[in-house]
């Protein structure tokens, strides 16, 4: 016997005894099993449990990804705050009221601080400005270079892919959420139907109306994920962006900038089109950034160059303040009665029904405008934490609601945050593990404790949805568009 195999502990033992590896079929099967196993582990393993690798080179607009991710986290926190405090809101103590409103002075309602508790609406307007910026950056670059044929190809591809890109992850997540009620007998929100067949039909009926871009009536909500109301709005805003890109592509620089400003005025002061104004605002900021990079800004803006640091800090402070606009009611009187908002309330144009969107338009526009010019602020949104949130932001937006309505609802009930609906479906969970409500309102121990479970679970599910549905849907849309092209256009 070879010396290599005299002792099982000899260094060369495995090379000689493992004769099966010489079989090419066995080797291929083993390699396949290994790859599948590794893929499954990578799929379910959160990235924040892995050892950090080499830092990737950030692209020029990486701060936009970080801002989008942080905004998604604000939406998560906002919805948890409001959901767990239903009784508080019904008593008029909502964090969405202004600081000092009706004699109530909550730390969480202080200007600036309130954004971290009820900044969800502010975050949504930031989403829309970012979308206007990102959707137009490539096309505006082609316009500046006079490449109008490529511009047509770019807009055609983007418009073709936009609807499935936005809605495929929503289809997948709401279908699985709805199915889980009947598969596991879960009581959740909304109330499940009598049987799965009825549930499936109701889900389909709601979804087809919810996603029809030209619908002019009906509920704005998709009851299988209330928070997804912004996705059809995102699609409508995208159409506005693509239309403007083509309509203004042959205009001069000043004419194009004037058209942006004219449309913003129209959507804010003449028609109630606040979301369209946000998308156009993103286009305007993108255009100005590209012009600045080419040293082609209008002369009146160049004259302000020496004051830019002061101007951008003023915009930042204004954004933080306006982003905290009280939003518990549509009634302008409640805004007028909020300390610090009396005179500002008279700025609201007649065209805007829900006043908060007017102030949030300016807040979001100012925020996106000033971040790349305030270096420490830009650096924050380029951190690994914000970049990670940016990668999973869309999925985080989609999954945080179902987590609230299933596990979150039960944990809040158990730790001392009951809701009226718990008497019907979760009475056994109410005050099962009551915890002390010590700490300032909004940061009570009994409120924070459930997030030791809820936050990592939500981030993990968001990663999973990103890998299973979000990123594949993007690749699928690109593949599908290439498959539909005529041979002459594929070159």
């Amino acid at each position: 016997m070879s010396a290599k195999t005299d002792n099982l502990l000899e260094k060369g033992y495995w090379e000689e005894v493992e004769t099966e590896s010489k079989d090419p079929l066995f080797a291929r099967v083993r390699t396949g099993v290994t790859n599948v196993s590794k893929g499954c582990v990578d799929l379910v393993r959160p990235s924040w449990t892995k050892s950090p690798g080499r830092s990737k080179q950030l692209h020029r607009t990486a701060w936009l990804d970080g801002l989008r991710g942080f905004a998604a986290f604000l939406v998560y926190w906002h919805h948890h705050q409001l959901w767990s405090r239903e009784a508080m809101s019904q008593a008029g103590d909502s964090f969405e009221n202004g600081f000092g409103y009706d004699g109530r002075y909550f730390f969480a309602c202080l200007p600036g601080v309130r954004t971290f508790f009820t900044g969800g609406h502010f975050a949504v307007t930031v989403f829309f400005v970012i979308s206007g910026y990102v959707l137009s950056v490539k096309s505006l670059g082609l316009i500046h270079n006079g490449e109008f044929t490529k511009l047509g190809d770019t807009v055609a591809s983007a418009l073709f892919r936009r609807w499935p890109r936005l809605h495929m992850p929503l289809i997948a997540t709401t279908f699985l959420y709805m199915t889980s009620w009947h598969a596991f007998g879960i009581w959740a929100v909304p109330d499940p139907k009598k049987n799965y067949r009825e549930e499936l039909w109701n889900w389909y009926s709601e979804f087809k109306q919810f996603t029809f871009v030209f619908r002019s009536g009906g509920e704005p909500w998709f009851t299988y994920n209330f928070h997804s109301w912004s996705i059809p709005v995102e699609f409508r805003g995208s159409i506005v962006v693509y239309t403007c890109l083509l309509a203004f592509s042959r205009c001069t620089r000043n004419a194009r900038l004037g058209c942006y400003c004219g449309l913003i005025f129209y959507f804010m002061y003449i028609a109630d089109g606040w979301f369209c104004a946000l998308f156009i605002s993103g286009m305007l900021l993108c255009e100005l950034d590209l012009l600045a990079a080419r040293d082609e800004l209008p002369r009146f803006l160049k004259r302000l160059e020496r004051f830019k640091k002061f101007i951008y800090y003023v915009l930042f402070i204004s954004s933080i303040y306006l982003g905290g606009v009280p939003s518990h009611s549509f009634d302008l009187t409640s805004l007028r009665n909020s300390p610090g908002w009396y005179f500002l309330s008279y700025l609201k144009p007649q065209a805007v029904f829900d006043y908060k969107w007017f102030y949030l338009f300016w807040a979001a526009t100012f925020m996106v405008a000033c971040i790349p010019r305030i270096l420490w602020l830009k650096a924050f949104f380029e951190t690994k934490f914000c970049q990670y949130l940016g990668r999973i932001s869309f999925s985080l937006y989609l999954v945080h609601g179902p987590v609230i309505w299933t596990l979150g609802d039960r944990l809040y009930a158990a730790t001392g945050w009951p809701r009226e609906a718990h008497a019907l479906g979760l009475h056994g969970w109410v005050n099962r593990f009551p915890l002390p409500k010590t700490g300032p309102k909004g940061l009570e121990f009994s409120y924070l404790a459930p997030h030791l479970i809820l936050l990592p679970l939500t981030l993990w599910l968001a990663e999973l949805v990103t890998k299973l549905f979000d990123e594949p849907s993007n690749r699928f849309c690109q593949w599908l568009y290439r498959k539909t092209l005529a041979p002459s256009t594929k070159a």
Side-chain angles (χ1 to χ4, degrees):
M1 181 179 291
S2 170
K4 286 186 177 181
T5 58
D6 285 343
N7 189 323
L8 294 182
L9 298 181
E10 288 290 336
K11 182 178 179 181
Y13 170 78
W14 296 109
E15 288 85 353
E16 187 164 325
V17 173
E18 196 175 325
T19 56
E20 297 91 337
S21 62
K22 298 178 181 179
D23 183 352
L25 177 60
F26 175 82
R28 287 197 299 270
V29 171
R30 185 179 61 180
T31 302
V33 171
T34 301
N35 291 339
V36 170
S37 301
K38 185 177 182 299
C40 291
V41 171
D42 289 341
L43 177 66
V44 300
R45 184 181 180 183
S47 61
W48 33 269
T49 65
K50 303 175 183 178
S51 57
R54 181 180 298 178
S55 299
K56 294 182 179 179
Q57 184 70 30
L58 295 176
H59 55 86
R60 184 178 63 85
T61 56
W63 60 273
L64 282 172
D65 298 330
L67 176 60
R68 182 173 58 242
F70 192 76
F73 183 74
L74 290 181
V75 171
Y76 163 90
W77 199 247
H78 181 169
H79 288 149
H80 274 278
Q81 289 281 359
L82 298 187
W83 186 263
S84 62
R85 304 171 195 278
E86 181 188 70
M88 179 179 169
S89 297
Q90 291 174 347
D93 289 342
S94 174
F95 285 164
E96 291 187 304
N97 287 324
F99 181 76
Y101 179 79
D102 201 22
R104 294 176 172 88
Y105 298 90
F106 299 136
F107 169 76
C109 295
L110 280 168
V113 176
R114 66 183 295 113
T115 300
F116 296 97
F117 291 86
T118 57
H121 295 125
F122 185 16
V124 168
T125 54
V126 169
F127 288 154
F128 292 162
V129 175
I130 291 175
S131 291
Y133 191 112
V134 172
L135 293 177
S136 59
V137 63
K138 182 178 180 180
S139 297
L140 286 174
L142 295 173
I143 290 173
H144 290 174
N145 293 330
E147 299 180 76
F148 299 109
T149 301
K150 287 185 178 180
L151 169 67
D153 294 339
T154 298
V155 173
S157 171
L159 185 54
F160 179 95
R161 294 180 284 116
R162 194 59 173 161
W163 190 99
R165 174 69 186 89
L166 288 172
H167 291 92
M168 286 175 65
L170 178 64
I171 293 171
T173 52
T174 54
F175 176 80
L176 291 175
Y177 177 53
M178 171 267 298
T179 301
S180 69
W181 308 342
H182 297 273
F184 304 110
I186 298 174
W187 184 86
V189 177
D191 293 334
K193 302 297 181 184
K194 294 179 181 178
N195 55 65
Y196 184 62
R197 181 177 180 180
E198 184 179 348
E199 196 78 69
L200 191 61
W201 177 254
N202 188 69
W203 172 80
Y204 164 74
S205 300
E206 280 198 27
F207 182 80
K208 67 185 179 69
Q209 294 299 324
F210 175 72
T211 58
F212 178 47
V213 64
F214 296 114
R215 65 188 173 98
S216 57
E219 289 291 333
W221 321 109
F222 185 34
T223 57
Y224 295 91
N225 191 334
F226 298 106
H227 304 154
S228 63
W229 66 268
S230 63
I231 293 179
V233 178
E234 175 80 27
F235 183 58
R236 296 186 196 110
S238 302
I239 293 178
V240 171
V241 169
Y242 299 142
T243 302
C244 290
L245 286 170
L246 292 178
F248 304 152
S249 61
R250 303 295 180 126
C251 296
T252 63
R253 178 202 64 184
N254 289 346
R256 195 161 52 248
L257 294 175
C259 287
Y260 296 147
C261 295
L263 281 177
I264 289 172
F265 180 84
Y266 172 78
F267 287 129
M268 292 303 299
Y269 290 90
I270 299 176
D272 191 3
W274 58 270
F275 68 92
C276 298
L278 287 162
F279 279 85
I280 300 297
S281 174
M283 292 184 68
L284 174 61
L285 294 177
C286 180
E287 178 97 48
L288 291 174
D289 282 351
L290 293 176
L291 290 174
R294 299 164 66 100
D295 195 27
E296 295 178 0
L297 284 172
R299 276 182 294 179
F300 82 93
L301 291 177
K302 289 184 178 181
R303 294 193 185 104
L304 300 175
E305 181 73 18
R306 56 179 173 164
F307 306 110
K308 68 177 183 178
K309 185 174 182 179
F310 172 77
I311 291 173
Y312 287 121
Y313 269 98
V314 169
L315 292 181
F316 175 64
I317 295 170
S318 301
S319 173
I320 293 297
Y321 190 86
L322 295 175
V325 58
S327 56
H328 188 57
S329 169
F330 294 153
D331 186 4
L332 192 62
T333 304
S334 66
L335 178 66
R336 210 155 277 171
N337 292 335
S338 299
W341 287 91
Y342 179 79
F343 293 106
L344 288 172
S345 69
Y346 287 97
L347 297 179
K348 186 198 87 76
Q350 178 275 332
V352 178
F353 171 72
D354 187 348
Y355 64 79
K356 69 173 176 284
W357 300 120
F358 170 74
Y359 300 98
L360 292 176
F361 163 79
W362 294 107
T365 299
F366 292 166
M367 181 60 72
V368 176
C370 71
I371 287 176
R373 279 88 181 178
I374 300 177
L375 297 183
W376 63 266
L377 195 58
K378 181 183 178 184
F380 169 74
F381 291 112
E382 291 178 340
T383 59
K384 289 185 177 181
F385 172 68
C386 288
Q387 292 297 304
Y388 165 74
L389 290 177
R391 187 174 71 85
I392 65 169
S393 58
F394 188 37
S395 299
L396 177 59
Y397 193 79
L398 292 177
V399 305
H400 79 278
V403 173
I404 293 175
W405 304 322
T406 50
L407 180 61
D409 213 17
R410 288 159 173 79
L411 292 179
Y412 288 135
T415 56
W417 298 92
R419 302 169 55 247
E420 288 184 6
H422 292 163
L424 299 176
L426 297 178
H427 58 275
W429 284 82
V430 176
N431 291 321
R432 179 174 288 187
F433 307 108
L435 297 175
K437 293 186 178 181
T438 55
K441 284 188 180 294
L443 295 173
E444 301 91 341
F445 177 74
S446 58
Y447 169 76
L448 294 176
H451 287 273
L452 296 175
I453 299 172
L454 294 175
L455 180 56
L457 175 64
T458 304
L459 293 178
W460 176 69
L461 287 174
E463 269 204 63
L464 204 58
V465 169
T466 298
K467 296 172 184 176
L468 286 175
F469 305 122
D470 187 23
E471 293 172 346
S473 70
N474 190 28
R475 293 192 295 268
F476 171 78
C477 293
Q478 292 174 345
W479 170 84
L480 184 62
Y481 180 68
R482 288 194 299 267
K483 285 294 182 181
T484 64
L485 292 178
S488 59
T489 61
K490 291 182 180 181

